[in-house]
Amino acid sequence: MKIVRLSGGLGNQMFQFALYEALRRQHPEEQVFVDLHGFKGYNKHRGFELPKVFCVAYQEATLSQIASIAYPYPNYQWWRWLSRILPSRSTMLVEKPNFAIEPDALTREGSTYYDGYWQHEDYFQAIRADILKLYHFPDFDDVQDQEAARVATESNSCCIHIRRGDYLTDPLRKGTTSLEYPMKAIRWMKENHNPDCWFVFSDDIPLTRECLKAVLPESHTYFVNWNQGPKSYNDMHLMTLCRNHIIANSSFSWWGAWLCEREDKTVVAPEVWMNRKNVCSPAAKDWIKL
């Protein structure tokens, strides 16, 4: 039996569920479940968002099944408090503090409970075709998105993701949200690929508009601010259609770049992913790190 704990926002859920799919294929003779109890009492983001966006199928673990190999936390607060003090059981694979790749995550024998984010394509690159089908977005139903999608697809487009919001106070992200990196990435992108159209995504559009107006052409820059609330995933969908990507240290724009199927795509990622030393970046090997 294998159980993968799901938590966090949409991007993190996509990483964890990709591991779940990889485990199902690696161990066809075993039962593989997801643990969704962490979304009970979880007030961040939009809860368990995967089935609201994609056609995903899964088996959900019961508390008794979880208790046989891990700690059966009934809700988010119990996990938040007790996971910090209780020792890991031998049947639990808990991701390391530096988020290093677990080399035997897929091949590990015996019942295992997976607790982590698993933000490395190494876990599911072998089934990329399946993941692309799994994370297929619904068609746009908004006129603005439809027009933006047309322009992004038909031009030498570049999307830029600038994450602010909770990153300003998050202990792992604080200090990583200055505009120095996107400015450097824009210069690099202009020198090497000269995009003719730019799409800017951010949770602080007024700030990014003011700061980027001097370096991006007004007539060919779209500040995407219309996908709000439950439709926020449309931002990720639009990102996948762009030819060039300047991502943030965010799982959201990571997936926007990784799901892009254009063979001529270029992805620029921040060299510093967190403000913790020796953190293993999830940026793919062929992406540019600045």
Side-chain angles (χ1 to χ4, degrees):
M1 178 172 63
K2 303 281 192 290
I3 301 176
V4 180
R5 180 179 181 275
L6 301 191
S7 62
L10 178 61
N12 286 333
Q13 294 171 38
M14 291 169 71
F15 274 113
Q16 294 158 342
F17 201 83
L19 174 67
Y20 167 78
E21 288 293 323
L23 287 170
R24 287 181 57 219
R25 288 157 178 75
Q26 183 74 26
H27 302 277
E29 75 290 350
E30 287 191 66
Q31 289 182 302
V32 184
F33 300 95
V34 294
D35 176 8
L36 301 180
H37 292 88
F39 289 110
K40 295 179 180 180
Y42 183 74
N43 299 318
K44 299 180 181 180
H45 309 293
R46 278 170 288 279
F48 184 38
E49 200 170 1
L50 273 179
K52 301 173 186 176
V53 181
F54 306 111
C55 295
V56 293
Y58 53 89
Q59 288 185 290
E60 185 176 351
T62 65
L63 282 177
S64 61
Q65 288 171 325
I66 295 168
S68 67
I69 59 174
Y71 299 109
Y73 303 121
N75 56 52
Y76 172 71
Q77 289 300 337
W78 279 55
W79 172 84
R80 184 168 175 266
W81 296 330
L82 297 179
S83 63
R84 300 176 183 180
I85 59 176
L86 292 176
S88 178
R89 294 171 59 178
S90 61
T91 48
M92 295 173 64
L93 184 61
V94 180
E95 194 170 33
K96 293 182 175 64
N98 68 345
F99 304 100
I101 296 174
E102 292 287 351
D104 65 341
L106 295 179
T107 58
R108 182 175 167 125
E109 297 295 331
S111 294
T112 305
Y113 182 91
Y114 294 80
D115 188 356
Y117 291 106
W118 318 110
Q119 296 180 344
H120 295 287
E121 67 171 353
D122 304 62
Y123 297 126
F124 49 84
Q125 179 65 23
I127 59 167
R128 176 175 169 80
D130 293 331
I131 298 299
L132 289 173
K133 291 178 182 178
L134 181 71
Y135 294 153
H136 178 75
F137 290 93
D139 293 338
F140 292 116
D141 57 11
D142 181 89
V143 174
Q144 285 180 289
D145 283 320
Q146 292 169 355
E147 175 60 15
R150 183 192 66 79
V151 175
T153 302
E154 296 178 357
S155 65
N156 180 24
S157 54
C158 180
C159 64
I160 306 170
H161 186 209
I162 297 178
R163 180 76 179 269
R164 304 279 288 173
D166 58 336
Y167 273 27
L168 299 176
T169 55
D170 187 310
L172 292 178
R173 311 286 184 171
K174 191 174 182 179
T176 66
T177 60
S178 75
L179 292 175
E180 180 181 351
Y181 156 69
M183 288 294 194
K184 181 166 60 174
I186 289 171
R187 289 195 298 271
W188 185 94
M189 194 65 74
K190 284 183 174 181
E191 293 172 0
N192 291 275
H193 295 282
N194 193 28
D196 53 23
C197 184
W198 304 80
F199 290 86
V200 180
F201 302 88
S202 177
D203 49 8
D204 193 344
I205 287 293
L207 173 69
T208 54
R209 187 191 298 273
E210 180 65 26
C211 294
L212 299 183
K213 66 181 182 181
V215 295
L216 296 180
E218 182 178 356
S219 59
H220 293 87
T221 301
Y222 296 77
F223 289 90
V224 183
N225 62 356
W226 55 83
N227 292 318
Q228 303 292 328
K231 290 291 186 178
S232 296
Y233 67 84
N234 281 330
D235 280 1
M236 186 189 293
H237 189 180
L238 287 175
M239 291 177 186
T240 69
L241 302 177
C242 291
R243 177 182 177 184
N244 305 289
H245 301 256
I246 297 174
I247 72 170
N249 52 336
S250 161
S251 59
F252 191 91
S253 50
W254 188 101
W255 280 105
W258 195 87
L259 292 174
C260 174
E261 297 187 63
R262 298 176 67 149
E263 294 183 358
D264 59 349
K265 74 177 179 183
T266 300
V267 182
V268 176
E271 187 172 19
V272 177
W273 200 262
M274 294 182 184
N275 61 17
R276 179 185 291 172
K277 292 183 178 180
N278 302 317
V279 165
C280 295
S281 169
K285 297 177 179 65
D286 58 342
W287 294 358
I288 307 299
K289 288 85 172 177
L290 295 178

